[in-house]
C-alpha cells in the first residue's frame, strides 16, 4: 500500500513540475512583464520603456467620472466625455 501511495505522490509531483515549467516557458514566450517591482529589482530597462511607450494617457468623463483612453474622448467646449450621449446630456443640462 505504501508503494502505491509513493508512486501516486511521485506522479503528482512530476505533473506539477511539468506544468510549472510549461507556464514559465509560456511567460518567456510572451515577453517580459515589466512593472515597478521588476524595474526596481534590476529589471530590463528596455522592457520597461516598451511598456511606457504603449501606455496611453487617460481622460476623465466630465459627466460620469469614468476614466478612459484619451484617444476615445469626445471633446465638447474643452471638456472630455466618454461618449456622445454624455456630451449631449451635459450640453442639455447646461443649456
Amino acid at each position: 500500500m505504501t508503494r502505491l501511495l509513493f508512486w501516486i505522490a511521485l506522479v503528482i509531483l512530476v505533473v506539477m513540475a511539468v506544468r510549472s515549467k510549461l507556464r514559465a516557458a509560456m511567460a518567456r514566450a510572451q515577453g517580459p512583464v515589466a512593472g515597478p517591482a521588476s524595474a526596481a529589482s534590476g529589471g530590463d530597462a528596455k522592457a520597461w520603456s516598451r511598456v511606457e511607450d504603449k501606455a496611453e494617457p487617460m481622460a476623465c468623463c466630465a459627466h460620469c467620472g469614468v476614466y478612459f483612453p484619451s484617444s476615445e474622448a469626445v471633446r465638447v467646449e474643452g471638456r472630455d466625455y466618454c461618449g456622445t450621449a454624455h456630451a449631449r446630456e451635459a450640453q442639455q443640462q447646461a443649456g
Side-chain angles (χ1 to χ4, degrees):
M1 183 67 175
T2 57
R3 283 187 180 178
L4 179 64
L5 291 176
F6 169 77
W7 286 110
I8 290 173
L10 184 63
V11 168
I12 289 172
L13 287 173
V14 168
V15 168
M16 289 173 54
V18 169
R19 289 180 67 193
S20 174
K21 292 292 182 181
L22 287 175
R23 283 189 196 138
M26 289 177 64
R28 278 192 307 266
Q30 292 175 353
V33 177
S38 64
S41 62
D44 187 12
K46 290 181 183 176
W48 181 254
S49 66
R50 277 185 276 154
V51 170
E52 286 180 348
D53 291 342
K54 293 180 184 178
E56 185 175 350
M58 301 296 281
C60 180
C61 179
H63 182 71
C64 66
V66 171
Y67 285 89
F68 55 93
S70 62
S71 64
E72 299 175 11
V74 176
R75 291 182 176 83
V76 177
E77 298 176 1
R79 293 182 168 213
D80 294 335
Y81 297 96
C82 60
T84 55
H86 281 180
R88 271 189 252 123
E89 286 180 29
Q91 282 184 336
Q92 288 173 356
Q93 289 176 357

